[in-house]
Amino acid sequence: MEDVHGPWTPAEMAEYDRLSEQLSSLTTRLADFAQAITVSLPVVRAAHSSRGDDRG
């Protein structure tokens, strides 16, 4: 949000704060998800390979 039309209203500031918090939360969740995938990937690959699935 740019300061094109003057100062932000209280509603605009509240919306910005809310959206900023959601972005921060989403970033944290995505990082946690990526870490979980990274940790479990060797197990998934081993299970895939032990079944003889060599399609990918």
Side-chain angles (χ1 to χ4, degrees):
M1 294 200 253
E2 290 185 32
D3 186 9
V4 182
H5 305 323
W8 290 2
T9 66
E12 289 171 326
M13 289 187 284
E15 180 181 19
Y16 179 88
D17 289 343
R18 182 182 60 81
L19 293 173
S20 181
E21 178 58 36
Q22 285 182 354
L23 177 61
S24 178
S25 175
L26 178 61
T27 300
T28 300
R29 288 177 187 226
L30 287 173
D32 291 345
F33 182 66
Q35 181 63 32
I37 289 172
T38 300
V39 167
S40 63
L41 190 57
V43 175
V44 172
R45 285 184 173 159
H48 180 77
S49 132
S50 71
R51 290 191 337 220
D53 295 339
D54 276 339
R55 288 182 254 153

